[in-house]
Structure formats: structure tokens, C-alpha cells
Amino acid sequence: MNASISGRILSTVAAFSLAALAAPAARAEVLEKTAKVGGVTVQYKVVLPAGYDAAKTYPGIIALGGGPQTIDGILTRNFRAEAEKRGYIVVAPAAPNGQLFFEGGARIFPDFLKLILADYKIQDGKFHIAGPSNGGIAAFHVAAANPQYFASVTAFPGYMWEPSTAKLQAISKMCVFMYVGENDEYMWHGEMKQEAQYLQSKGTVARYTVEKGQPHRLETLAGASAGRLFDGFEETKKGCSK
């Protein structure tokens, strides 16, 4: 083998070696965890941004799934790719023992939030909380019960479970983002719009958006369009009061 061919092979091997070393750092890491909280076992996943540094502070999101509130799907569909791109930590818990987070599953809060804050440095010690459908309802419910831990609440769609003036007042210092499909088969429009208008009357940055042509499951906030959710999270930096 002559020197020039040998040099090219070595260069190629070196390039592949560097690429292999760089590849893990280019992807967000997803950890599967289990913890005992509030007397129940909670399974959850944590998305750590590419190049995660435990000494640094990151914005954090509590992501709550729709339907039975399992973890499956919500990270891939709505959060992981954009979190990787923008440098967010995302925590997605599964409803413990099948108990929804606006019902019995809510008892894991605030202890679950304290656990996450002990493990990771979250910006200002406050999370964004977000979810679709049952996850949106749960996001409002958990945020209202633990307002000191949240900077914003996002439902796509969703509304306050068993609303009251006290509950809505509890989230009035957060930024609130509400999205519902124009053709939502469950017709949540009225409740969502009414709550958004109430919050706006209190000086809250509260957005109510009807997604044209969309059903209950919103494609306009998933996949390549999931960045719109993160645009809302970023907007909280400007403040949440008018």
C-alpha cells in the first residue's frame, strides 16, 4: 500500500472516529426513571438537551400526556426535538396507578416538582407546564394548586378543571396559552374562551387560539410545528402581565 492511499484511509478512519464521538452529544438524552412520591410509584422520562452540563441552569417543562396520561408519544410528538434544539429539560411523568393528574394523581405534587428541582438546575426554580386534552386540563389543575412552581401553563386543548375564581386567580401571574381545534369534536371552545377572557381581564397574558380546520388532536402543534409551543415558553421572558 503506498503512502498516499494509506494516508487517505487513516484520514477516513479518523473522520469516522470523530463523527462517532460527536454523535451522542448531538442528540438529546432521554432517561427513564422511577421514584416513590406521595405514597405511589411514579414512572417518568427526562429529556436532557444536547451537551447537557449538570452545572448549568436550563429552562424546564413538565409535559403531561393526554388520554390515560401515559408517557408514550408526547415527547416524540410535541417536545423532544424542539427541546434538543432550544436547550430545554423536559420531564414527562405517567399518571400513577392510572389516576389522572387532575384527580388522584395530583397528590404527587408538589413533591415530584421538588424532586426534579433537586436533581436539575431549572431556570428561576419554575417550570412551564403543558399538555394536550386531559394533559391540558391537568396542566391547569396542577399549576393552580402549585403556582409558585410555574412560569406558564399551556393547554392544546384544555381548560381549568372545576373552575373557580380562586383557581383562575392562582394562575393569573403566569403566561397562559390555550389552543383548540376549529372542528374539536368535544366543543371545548366556550369554556376555554371564557377562562382566557377572565384572565385577560385580570391583566394576564392569556392567549386563546382556534386552530383552523383542526380536530381535537392538533397537528398544528406537533412535529415540525411544535416550535410554536416553545415560542410561547420563550415569550414568558417578556413578562406575563399586561
Side-chain angles (χ1 to χ4, degrees), residues 23-107:
R27 290 281 298 165
E29 184 178 6
V30 180
L31 308 177
E32 296 191 26
K33 296 194 167 192
T34 302
K36 194 83 170 180
V37 185
V40 295
T41 299
V42 182
Q43 295 179 324
Y44 62 103
K45 290 185 179 182
V46 180
V47 175
L48 297 178
Y52 171 72
D53 182 346
K56 291 184 179 179
T57 298
Y58 297 87
I61 302 166
I62 300 295
L64 304 179
Q69 302 208 279
T70 59
I71 306 170
D72 298 334
I74 188 171
L75 291 179
T76 301
R77 179 176 165 79
N78 301 108
F79 292 103
R80 181 179 175 180
E82 204 67 25
E84 175 182 343
K85 187 186 304 181
R86 303 203 194 196
Y88 278 69
I89 292 174
V90 185
V91 181
N97 299 329
Q99 296 178 316
L100 301 179
F101 287 123
F102 53 92
E103 296 176 340
R107 71 180 180 274

Side-chain angles (χ1 to χ4, degrees), residues 102-103 137-138 140-141 144 159-168 191 195:
F102 53 92
E103 296 176 340
I137 293 174
F140 271 93
H141 183 73
Y159 53 86
M160 184 70 76
W161 183 246
E162 298 178 342
S164 67
T165 299
K167 286 184 178 181
L168 290 170
E191 182 62 40
E195 290 179 6

